[in-house]
Amino acid sequence: MAGGVIVNTGGGKEYPGKLTLFVFITCVVAATGGLIFGYDIGISGGVMQMNPFLKKFFPEVFRKKEDDKSTNQYCEFDSQLLTTFTSSLYLAALVASFFASTVTRVFGRKWSMLCGGLTFLVGAALNGAAQDVLMLILGRILLGIGVGFANQSVPVYLSEMAPAKLRGMLNIGFQLMITVGILAANLINYGTAKIKAGWGWRVSLALAAVPAVIITVGSVFLPDTPNSLIERGYPEEAQRMLRRIRGTDDIHDEYRDLVTASEESKLMRHPWANIVKRKYRPQLTMAILIPFFQQLTGINVIMFYAPVLFQTIGFGSNAALMSAVITGLVNVFATFVSIFTVDKLGRRKLFLEGGAQMIVCQIIVGTLIAIKFGTSGEGHLSKTYSSFVVLFICIYVAGFAWSWGPLGWLVPSEIFPLEIRSAGQSINVSVNMFFTFVIAQAFLTMLCHMKFGLFYFFGGWVLIMTIFISFFLPETKNVPIEEMILVWRSHWFWGHFIADEDVHVGKAETEMSNGKPKSDAI
Ligand code: BGC
């Protein structure tokens, strides 16, 4: 127990303070950074369904789609150029997140959000006005850069602003906005697909400007986090901010721990070289495996390609878009379950329950499709039968929406010590984007070759990741972010990687009583 601060049963301290309106509003504004990511995820699948769009940019795919009506359903949309349209964004985001790491650390979290919003805005304009594939893909790349910056900075911002007890809830605001972005995109596609004159896709792509403006304007007004203010040498501002966001003058303990974390972080000049040190092995492993596993749940097969997937299994074009709206709604509402339970039940319970639910649904959906289409890919689904398919897809989406969806962003953002936080978050974003890219690029081909087995394939992965969580992820609920080291230290496996001298608790206290750091003392 450091500094006479209460150690709660969750393994961490409890600092004084409450959820202030100010912190709530800042977190809501920052979370809107998730909208741009969500809008992208949801918009491309529907646009790819629009014939005028296909005719203009991908005439070959259009011709193929028109010509071979009767052949193998599984392979109808298999085109690498078409998937490049979806996936180019994620490669750009991957690269951008490394640049964002420096901006976030050196200039502060809010500037990364602003960069993200502005670049995204230009990308939306280019896409809405696209005349050829080049413009289209260039626009997607700019959108990707925007997403890279936003996803690198927003989750960290939220986790730093939030009081430990409510960190899960406030951080999941980001995921909630992602799901709202996806749903908005689905609804917009549903409407614009009906525009007879054939320019509906332009509206869909250009409307990405709306979430871009929201986060751009929002980030101008956002204050920076106390952690970042201390890290960048503004101790007075940091104290003021801490008082404001915690709604109390009694911020000494928390402030002191933030200063300790910052002092430690200053000893390290190269976060990228440090993150590979043995003592950070648990965090590094999670920064790589959590986003990898999140994508291997197969969720984006549904999010990107729900309309394509539903059409593939025999839905009409309109019904396919409508079903995508239904899964989008389930995704939004189920996210609330995690918002209200994550700080009480904890992260692990949600991971384990959500994982089990997804596995069962994937087996059922794969089997339902196998029964009707077999390996030939030929067949037809009755109304009742397809409703069952949609039902189990919805239960699967709900499972994801209260487990791997939000926790895939929350957990990595709360486990890194300050000195490697920016770097760690960039790894998280880039691994996420890389595998989002791989799935986006490979899905249509995989569907064509693996057929219904694709659902079993992802189900197998969810089984592996659920087992992994049960053995290797310690519970992080309610633990102050700068105290997370204690959780790793007491873990049966990860504890071996952390020596006693790696645990900084109490160090600040000594320094403070020695009169250091003077300028920061309160
Ligand atoms: C994932 C996305 C996914 C979305 C679905 C996010 O957490 O990173 O890849 O499309 O959730 O809601």
Side-chain angles (χ1 to χ4, degrees):
M1 201 165 96
V5 180
I6 313 151
V7 175
N8 68 19
T9 46
K13 298 173 183 177
E14 261 183 46
Y15 300 119
K18 54 180 190 274
L19 177 66
T20 57
L21 185 63
F22 178 73
V23 92
F24 183 74
I25 292 173
T26 32
C27 286
V28 170
V29 173
T32 58
L35 283 177
I36 61 178
F37 182 38
Y39 193 82
D40 272 319
I41 295 169
I43 210 72
S44 53
V47 167
M48 280 161 58
Q49 282 299 291
M50 299 180 194
N51 286 341
F53 175 83
L54 285 180
K55 249 193 257 174
K56 185 168 173 69
F57 297 106
F58 306 95
E60 237 176 77
V61 182
F62 177 70
R63 235 172 290 127
K64 190 171 164 223
K65 184 179 154 197
E66 290 296 287
D67 289 350
D68 30 81
K69 286 232 161 63
S70 61
T71 56
N72 191 341
Q73 297 268 358
Y74 292 124
C75 300
E76 204 179 351
F77 290 94
D78 186 9
S79 152
Q80 289 299 311
L81 188 61
L82 184 61
T83 40
T84 306
F85 165 67
T86 300
S87 57
S88 54
L89 185 149
Y90 300 96
L91 280 188
L94 185 166
V95 177
S97 74
F98 288 101
F99 291 97
S101 156
T102 309
V103 176
T104 303
R105 183 166 44 87
V106 180
F107 300 102
R109 284 70 173 132
K110 65 178 272 180
W111 296 107
S112 277
M113 295 184 214
L114 185 67
C115 282
L118 282 175
T119 329
F120 197 89
L121 198 57
V122 181
L126 260 185
N127 262 352
Q131 294 304 326
D132 48 31
V133 179
L134 187 69
M135 255 177 111
L136 201 63
I137 296 202
L138 213 68
R140 290 287 286 176
I141 290 176
L142 288 176
L143 297 180
I145 296 176
V147 168
F149 270 85
N151 287 15
Q152 202 278 342
S153 48
V154 174
V156 166
Y157 182 92
L158 295 171
S159 284
E160 289 183 342
M161 275 295 192
K165 293 187 285 245
L166 298 170
R167 189 175 58 239
M169 180 185 110
L170 290 173
N171 182 291
I172 294 177
F174 176 65
Q175 174 71 15
L176 183 66
M177 292 295 176
I178 296 178
T179 62
V180 170
I182 297 175
L183 177 65
N186 288 340
L187 286 168
I188 287 166
N189 276 340
Y190 188 66
T192 58
K194 294 196 167 36
I195 297 175
K196 291 269 175 332
W199 41 263
W201 62 270
R202 279 197 196 279
V203 179
S204 290
L205 296 183
L207 280 177
V210 176
V213 169
I214 297 178
I215 183 64
T216 306
V217 175
S219 63
V220 172
F221 295 101
L222 284 179
D224 230 323
T225 66
N227 318 51
S228 173
L229 287 167
I230 297 175
E231 191 182 26
R232 290 182 296 117
Y234 302 104
E236 276 85 28
E237 283 87 337
Q239 288 173 39
R240 226 174 295 132
M241 185 52 59
L242 205 52
R243 277 193 203 100
R244 192 144 183 229
I245 62 178
R246 300 288 175 256
T248 170
D249 282 340
D250 188 7
I251 52 151
H252 304 67
D253 291 328
E254 186 169 6
Y255 179 73
R256 193 198 48 224
D257 285 345
L258 294 185
V259 170
T260 308
S262 168
E263 292 295 312
E264 297 234 324
S265 115
K266 285 204 184 102
L267 297 177
M268 294 193 177
R269 301 203 152 232
H270 306 289
W272 291 104
N274 278 302
I275 203 166
V276 293
K277 283 192 177 154
R278 185 179 162 83
K279 63 174 173 172
Y280 298 128
R281 206 53 50 81
Q283 293 93 332
L284 184 62
T285 309
M286 295 300 161
I288 296 170
L289 284 186
I290 289 185
F292 166 74
F293 282 149
Q294 191 205 49
Q295 290 308 314
L296 266 286
T297 57
I299 188 66
N300 280 326
V301 164
I302 310 293
M303 293 301 138
F304 295 145
Y305 299 117
V308 176
L309 186 74
F310 287 128
Q311 227 181 48
T312 300
I313 57 178
F315 286 48
S317 172
N318 203 35
L321 284 173
M322 195 57 221
S323 312
V325 171
I326 295 173
T327 51
L329 275 170
V330 170
N331 196 19
V332 174
F333 285 106
T335 304
F336 281 100
V337 173
S338 62
I339 289 187
F340 293 117
T341 58
V342 71
D343 293 310
K344 296 187 190 83
L345 293 179
R347 287 60 165 150
R348 281 174 53 83
K349 287 213 178 87
L350 288 175
F351 264 129
L352 299 179
E353 192 286 330
Q357 185 170 324
M358 282 192 276
I359 297 167
V360 172
C361 291
Q362 278 160 321
I363 294 172
I364 295 177
V365 171
T367 309
L368 284 175
I369 295 182
I371 292 170
K372 283 293 171 183
F373 290 119
T375 46
S376 71
E378 283 169 27
H380 177 74
L381 301 187
S382 72
K383 267 226 158 79
T384 339
Y385 203 90
S386 37
S387 316
F388 268 107
V389 175
V390 176
L391 174 71
F392 284 104
I393 288 183
C394 285
I395 303 176
Y396 158 82
V397 169
F400 176 87
W402 60 61
S403 63
W404 281 92
L407 302 177
W409 294 103
L410 167 64
V411 173
S413 78
E414 66 184 6
I415 58 173
F416 302 114
L418 187 63
E419 60 269 23
I420 54 162
R421 192 166 301 147
S422 272
Q425 180 65 3
S426 297
I427 295 178
N428 175 39
V429 175
S430 54
V431 173
N432 195 309
M433 294 301 134
F434 180 71
F435 286 99
T436 308
F437 160 78
V438 171
I439 303 271
Q441 196 70 27
F443 164 66
L444 294 176
T445 315
M446 282 165 89
L447 180 66
C448 184
H449 292 101
M450 295 172 78
K451 308 173 168 81
F452 59 86
L454 188 62
F455 293 92
Y456 299 151
F457 169 79
F458 287 121
W461 275 106
V462 181
L463 180 64
I464 293 172
M465 63 188 85
T466 307
I467 296 171
F468 173 83
I469 293 291
S470 80
F471 286 106
F472 294 105
L473 187 79
E475 183 53 65
T476 51
K477 75 167 174 183
N478 298 344
V479 181
I481 191 165
E482 308 300 356
E483 297 301 316
M484 213 49 90
I485 182 96
L486 299 174
V487 172
W488 298 110
R489 180 80 180 95
S490 53
H491 187 265
W492 69 273
F493 179 74
W494 299 118
H496 299 304
F497 290 83
I498 300 161
D500 287 343
E501 61 270 22
D502 295 332
V503 181
H504 68 245
V505 179
K507 183 166 167 244
E509 229 179 331
T510 330
E511 288 189 345
M512 298 293 283
S513 58
N514 289 342
K516 282 195 306 178
K518 280 215 173 68
S519 58
D520 296 348
I522 38 177

